[in-house]
Amino acid sequence: MPDLSKRDVLFASLVAAMGLQAGTQAKATGGISGAQDAALDMRPGRFRSSVASLETYQAPDWFRDAKFGIWSHWGPQAVPGQGDWYARFLYVPGHPHYDYHVKTYGHPSEFGYKDIIPLWKAERFDPEALMTKYAAAGAKYFVSMGVHHDNFDLWNSRHHRWNAAAMGPKRDIVGAWKAAAKRHGLRFGVSEHLGASYCWWYPNHLYDQFWPRLGVNYDGADPRYADLYHDNRDQPYLNKLGTWYTTNPKFQRHWFDRIRDLVDSYQPDLLYSDGGIPFGEVGRTLVAHLYNSSVARSGELEAVYAHKNLGSGEFLPKAGVQDVERGVLEGINPLPWQTDTSNGDWFYSENDRFKTAPEVIGMLADIVSKNGNLLLNVVQHADGSLPPQSEELLAGLAAWMKVNAEAIHGTRPWRAYGEGPTRPKAGAFAESGTYTAEDIRFTTKGDELFAIFLGGFAGASAIRSLGGNALPDARIERVDLLGGPRLQFRREAGALQLTLPRQSSGAPIPVVRIRGRGLV
């Protein structure tokens, strides 16, 4: 999900220009079903839906040790090759996705998102081969897209006919990913973006405000497809509370039933919501169900629930793991947390600028030094294959992890996360920073301290945090370059001075291991 501020302003201005008013629409056959007053069915156990109960949660050790996960943020929206939020912006005149759609497929009154779905065939999707690469790149958990804002389920859904087992690839994508992840020893997660879908997809009910299609409804207004496009004339994109989660109780119950089906069918180790906990008591009940189900399976809590502090839904940092989209937290957070980002756009775009392996490694080191994990989407083509930039990234990560993984996996933060002039801005949607040779991040494992040189080094380097003045009671006995020789060092009052081998051009980010007494 990209930065809301830019896209919401565009849509808000469009709605204002149209003079749209929230209205009502007749309910369509095949729409959301289920009684509204039926009690939410939750597995019994130690967790209840109250805030106090959920705040007794503690993140499992596997998550704290894993540090790095790979995500498949993939689905029918990859088909046009234009990037994220295609399902929404093909219905917004003036947006490049609308222009591309009209030029390539036709007007959205005749050819809409329902017609994109059959074009997603995933004919080259090989989860076993991909998972082999992801494991080699250092991933310890894998997350499959479950359902994006486009309201299309990537599993054999019990409650929704618009799903990948019945349409498009006609394959249980989530199930295929889980089987491959488990065969490679990776923990498995799923992401749900459904909570926002009801409001997010409002534009599909609109129409052009100009000739030659003035007033001709887009296909989202066709009642035959209300179960895909939502029967949502009662609420525009941002509801009256100013959030992107609907107040419609019928959809809230429908969300619960579908996401519970996802949880029960695939028993994920991690569930990610693209926002805060949706829908108050409804969402908290689902989280409690996730946790109680985990305890019932293994006898202890192994599940992680990742959610965001973005103003929509409830943000309860103690009730799960905080996820920061395309950003970081300030300093060392006392609770484990996660960054989610992508090596390109969230869905494949022909015009992507892709992250390189050194960029991702630098991000990973910075995040891990602050008690966080990195969940990285590796962009896929619509057919399931990887673009060359994703292949290159995975190869670079695998080469670096083969030498330096011990400085990442199973580590904990040190007394300081690092040193140097570059400090990434805290908060979501704030990725930045080109690191210098003075930028160092620290991690620890047992009695060993690792220093990760984000900007590389050439000939010599100084670690000021290890000088005699900074740590007067510590004694440094040995320094080694991971994958290289034992290093000469000299400890001065102001810094630990290292003599280092000169790197060749393009060499990966180096790591040194420091041993001694009083360091950790």
Side-chain angles (χ1 to χ4, degrees), residues 82-102:
Q82 300 300 299
D84 198 22
W85 283 23
Y86 188 87
R88 180 169 184 262
F89 283 119
L90 76 89
Y91 297 103
V92 179
H95 192 278
H97 288 0
Y98 173 91
D99 296 338
Y100 177 88
H101 190 86
V102 171

Side-chain angles (χ1 to χ4, degrees), residues 91-263:
Y91 297 103
V92 179
H95 192 278
H97 288 0
Y98 173 91
D99 296 338
Y100 177 88
H101 190 86
V102 171
K103 179 180 178 181
T104 307
Y105 302 111
H107 192 265
S109 64
E110 299 172 349
F111 192 107
Y113 191 68
K114 71 181 188 305
D115 305 297
I116 293 289
I117 289 172
L119 303 181
W120 184 50
K121 299 183 182 300
E123 59 270 28
R124 296 179 63 192
F125 175 47
D126 186 346
E128 186 69 26
L130 291 170
M131 204 65 64
T132 299
K133 295 178 181 180
Y134 298 158
K140 295 299 183 183
Y141 59 108
F142 176 85
V143 176
S144 168
M145 173 70 72
V147 51
H148 198 250
H149 305 320
D150 64 352
N151 197 30
F152 185 78
D153 293 346
L154 270 62
W155 74 95
N156 190 13
S157 179
R158 294 175 56 235
H159 300 281
H160 194 50
R161 68 182 173 112
W162 298 88
N163 69 77
M167 303 178 184
K170 296 184 178 179
R171 184 173 180 182
D172 182 351
I173 300 297
V174 174
W177 276 129
K178 179 180 179 179
K182 292 303 180 183
R183 281 193 295 269
H184 285 79
L186 275 64
R187 294 281 184 161
F188 179 70
V190 290
S191 67
E192 73 85 12
H193 312 240
L194 179 62
S197 178
Y198 189 86
C199 293
W200 180 87
W201 221 1
Y202 185 78
N204 65 54
H205 288 272
L206 305 181
Y207 46 82
D208 286 357
Q209 297 294 298
F210 46 86
W211 297 105
R213 304 269 186 160
L214 176 64
V216 178
N217 286 335
Y218 301 147
D219 69 328
D222 190 329
R224 292 176 296 172
Y225 309 112
D227 53 343
L228 174 66
Y229 292 123
H230 304 303
D231 181 13
N232 64 353
R233 277 288 189 178
D234 63 314
Q235 200 161 80
Y237 173 59
L238 291 178
N239 67 30
K240 62 184 179 182
L241 301 178
T243 79
W244 64 339
Y245 285 153
T246 181
T247 56
N248 184 312
K250 191 173 182 180
F251 181 79
Q252 292 179 1
R253 176 57 189 257
H254 183 65
W255 172 89
F256 179 89
D257 290 340
R258 275 168 66 184
I259 304 307
R260 172 166 176 166
D261 177 41
L262 178 61
V263 168

Side-chain angles (χ1 to χ4, degrees), residues 8 30 381 466 507 511:
D8 287 351
H381 287 302
L466 296 178
V511 181

Side-chain angles (χ1 to χ4, degrees), residues 195-342:
S197 178
Y198 189 86
C199 293
W200 180 87
W201 221 1
Y202 185 78
N204 65 54
H205 288 272
L206 305 181
Y207 46 82
D208 286 357
Q209 297 294 298
F210 46 86
W211 297 105
R213 304 269 186 160
L214 176 64
V216 178
N217 286 335
Y218 301 147
D219 69 328
D222 190 329
R224 292 176 296 172
Y225 309 112
D227 53 343
L228 174 66
Y229 292 123
H230 304 303
D231 181 13
N232 64 353
R233 277 288 189 178
D234 63 314
Q235 200 161 80
Y237 173 59
L238 291 178
N239 67 30
K240 62 184 179 182
L241 301 178
T243 79
W244 64 339
Y245 285 153
T246 181
T247 56
N248 184 312
K250 191 173 182 180
F251 181 79
Q252 292 179 1
R253 176 57 189 257
H254 183 65
W255 172 89
F256 179 89
D257 290 340
R258 275 168 66 184
I259 304 307
R260 172 166 176 166
D261 177 41
L262 178 61
V263 168
D264 290 350
S265 298
Y266 302 94
Q267 302 176 357
D269 300 301
L270 181 147
L271 173 64
Y272 164 110
S273 284
D274 191 10
I277 301 173
F279 314 136
E281 179 81 11
V282 176
R284 282 186 267 112
T285 301
L286 191 283
V287 176
H289 176 76
L290 171 73
Y291 292 163
N292 290 338
S293 298
S294 174
V295 174
R297 284 194 305 272
S298 64
E300 57 186 48
L301 180 57
E302 294 285 300
V304 174
Y305 178 68
H307 65 302
K308 302 178 180 180
N309 184 15
L310 287 178
S312 290
E314 287 184 292
F315 174 59
L316 303 174
K318 293 181 181 180
V321 167
Q322 180 176 0
D323 182 276
V324 183
E325 183 173 347
R326 292 193 185 270
V328 299
L329 296 181
E330 182 71 33
I332 299 173
N333 198 59
L335 297 173
W337 59 281
Q338 176 178 269
T339 288
D340 73 278
T341 191
S342 178

Side-chain angles (χ1 to χ4, degrees), residues 53-54 84 184 226 252 334 343 368 370 421 442:
S53 177
L54 293 176
D84 198 22
H184 285 79
Q252 292 179 1
N343 70 318
V368 170
K370 297 171 180 175
F442 302 114

